[in-house]
Amino acid sequence: MDPSSNGAPLSIAAAPIDAAAAANATPAAAASSPTKTVVLVTGGTGLVGQALREIVEADPVEGYEWYFAGSKDADLTDAAAVAALFDRVKPGACLHLAAYVGGLFANMTHRVEFWRRNVAMQDAVMHCCHERGVRRLVSCLSTCVFPDKTTYPIDETMIHDGPPHSSNEGYAYAKRMVDVQNRMYNSQHGHEFTAVIPTNIFGKFDNFSVSDGHVIPGLIHKCYLAKKNGEAFVVSGSGKPLRQFVFSKDLARLMLWTLREYKETDPIILSVDEEDEVSIADVANAIVSAMDFKGEVVFDTSRADGQFKKTASNKKLRKYLPDFKFTPFEDALKETVEWFVANYETVRK
């Protein structure tokens, strides 16, 4: 979660939103409307939360109010703090986007922390939803939950078919438990808890740390520094691994659809099509182009590549949304790079 949150509720109405008024509103105001559903968004100041906020500000959804919670609102690993947050906001639905996340080497170094913090967060959020009658909960997983040794493309039925890749087993096993907990709560208590499984996400408001950010934001920052310092742009690994990347704005639109329209409780993969899979080398070259970097690009093959591929099928999503248009990768990456450069002094890094 991004620590910059002010936790201000955002009222969604037919008219455009007054940003200043939204920032000055109180949690009680968000919970007081008898005609609107308050949606609590955990991780509301992070990558996907900010994208969702941008979407609903630009195109308000009638009948909803939004509370974008950040780490200043509550430590989500503390069950008492989570309960206090729910009692303040009084949500009628919840999008659980918050997670303890990091790149390949952070996952390899801090396996225990990735397990404990994520399990604590999701258990506290899920149980608060149950205790306070919030029947609609949508949690966010990751394709790293899938088995390392499997057939491709992976789909929603294969989550528990074998161990995940050892490089991120703490995070992966923690997130697998969301699916298990959803089934138990739904079966025992009749809730409508579900989960989405996005492929690799990127966009504005990401964590651009070189040391523990995900691949795209980390590479964007490394390329920026290489250009600034007149050095080579060094990419960890061979550049051969393949990934499906989804732009945060596209994912936000799909998350909104999931909350409002998706009636199943089984998970659903939110991903670009299989033919849109790109290599890390392709990503690096696209960043070089967007950054207008003229220096040398070096692939450091002494560093681990991680899992070679995680190709996911979006057949289930396409069954519901056959005509959904994803932002072209180069366009989305260019927008992200331009935002990063313009906001370099204040971005998470």
Side-chain angles (χ1 to χ4, degrees):
M1 293 173 65
D2 183 348
S4 63
S5 170
N6 61 12
L10 180 63
S11 178
I12 304 305
I17 291 170
D18 182 334
N24 292 325
T26 65
S32 64
S33 172
T35 60
K36 297 181 180 180
T37 298
V38 177
V39 183
L40 172 61
V41 182
T42 69
T45 56
L47 172 63
V48 183
Q50 290 279 19
L52 180 62
R53 184 166 195 154
E54 189 173 336
I55 295 299
V56 298
E57 282 181 339
D59 188 15
V61 183
E62 186 176 354
Y64 287 87
E65 292 180 355
W66 303 82
Y67 191 105
F68 292 87
S71 57
K72 289 184 179 179
D73 290 273
D75 174 1
L76 296 186
T77 65
D78 181 341
V82 176
L85 174 64
F86 271 71
D87 289 340
R88 290 197 308 273
V89 177
K90 297 180 173 59
C94 181
L95 289 178
H96 180 41
L97 308 180
Y100 180 62
V101 299
L104 172 63
F105 299 103
N107 271 275
M108 292 173 67
T109 306
H110 302 291
R111 300 168 193 266
V112 172
E113 288 80 5
F114 277 91
W115 162 263
R116 295 190 69 220
R117 294 183 188 183
N118 284 296
V119 167
M121 283 187 197
Q122 61 209 36
D123 185 65
V125 168
M126 199 170 292
H127 200 61
C128 270
C129 285
H130 163 63
E131 287 188 320
R132 286 152 179 79
V134 180
R135 294 186 60 188
R136 186 61 173 165
L137 167 65
V138 181
S139 298
C140 194
L141 307 188
S142 164
T143 51
C144 73
V145 302
F146 287 98
D148 176 33
K149 294 182 172 29
T150 187
T151 56
Y152 295 100
I154 50 182
D155 65 34
E156 294 85 352
T157 67
M158 302 163 68
I159 294 174
H160 304 284
D161 284 357
H165 194 273
S166 61
S167 64
N168 54 16
E169 62 180 351
Y171 181 80
Y173 274 119
K175 285 298 183 179
R176 277 191 186 185
M177 291 304 101
V178 171
D179 180 54
V180 174
Q181 288 174 282
N182 280 344
R183 284 190 273 112
M184 291 191 295
Y185 274 99
N186 293 341
S187 174
Q188 185 171 338
H189 299 293
H191 294 316
E192 299 172 6
F193 295 176
T194 190
V196 299
I197 310 173
T199 48
N200 298 62
I201 314 163
F202 73 100
K204 300 184 295 185
F205 299 99
D206 207 341
N207 175 12
F208 291 85
S209 169
V210 170
S211 60
D212 61 5
H214 284 117
V215 58
I216 285 184
L219 287 176
I220 288 174
H221 194 180
K222 289 181 75 171
C223 188
Y224 175 89
L225 293 175
K227 180 178 179 179
K228 178 181 177 181
N229 299 325
E231 299 171 346
F233 174 30
V234 180
V235 181
S236 296
S238 68
K240 295 178 181 178
L242 302 170
R243 295 291 183 269
Q244 290 158 291
F245 292 99
V246 59
F247 190 33
S248 55
K249 284 185 180 178
D250 294 336
L251 181 58
R253 294 185 181 96
L254 292 171
M255 292 287 296
L256 185 58
W257 168 80
T258 304
L259 177 70
R260 301 177 64 209
E261 306 293 339
Y262 182 62
K263 303 305 181 186
E264 296 185 42
T265 54
D266 290 334
I268 183 169
I269 291 172
L270 303 182
S271 171
V272 298
D273 301 320
E274 292 172 46
E275 57 265 30
D276 293 323
E277 191 172 53
V278 296
S279 72
I280 301 304
D282 293 332
V283 172
N285 291 329
I287 291 171
V288 164
S289 177
M291 193 75 72
D292 194 27
F293 176 73
K294 303 300 185 183
E296 182 184 10
V297 180
V298 176
F299 291 90
D300 180 3
T301 55
S302 70
R303 304 296 296 273
D305 272 337
Q307 194 167 354
F308 178 71
K309 65 182 293 183
K310 299 188 285 186
T311 311
S313 169
N314 67 357
K315 184 177 180 181
K316 187 174 183 179
L317 174 66
R318 285 302 188 192
K319 179 183 73 172
Y320 287 104
L321 299 174
D323 300 321
F324 184 86
K325 303 295 184 185
F326 288 92
T327 306
F329 177 71
E330 291 78 8
D331 294 346
L333 189 60
K334 186 172 188 296
E335 181 178 336
T336 304
V337 167
E338 289 176 349
W339 179 88
F340 170 80
V341 172
N343 295 277
Y344 181 77
E345 296 304 320
T346 57
V347 299
R348 286 189 293 162
K349 56 184 185 293

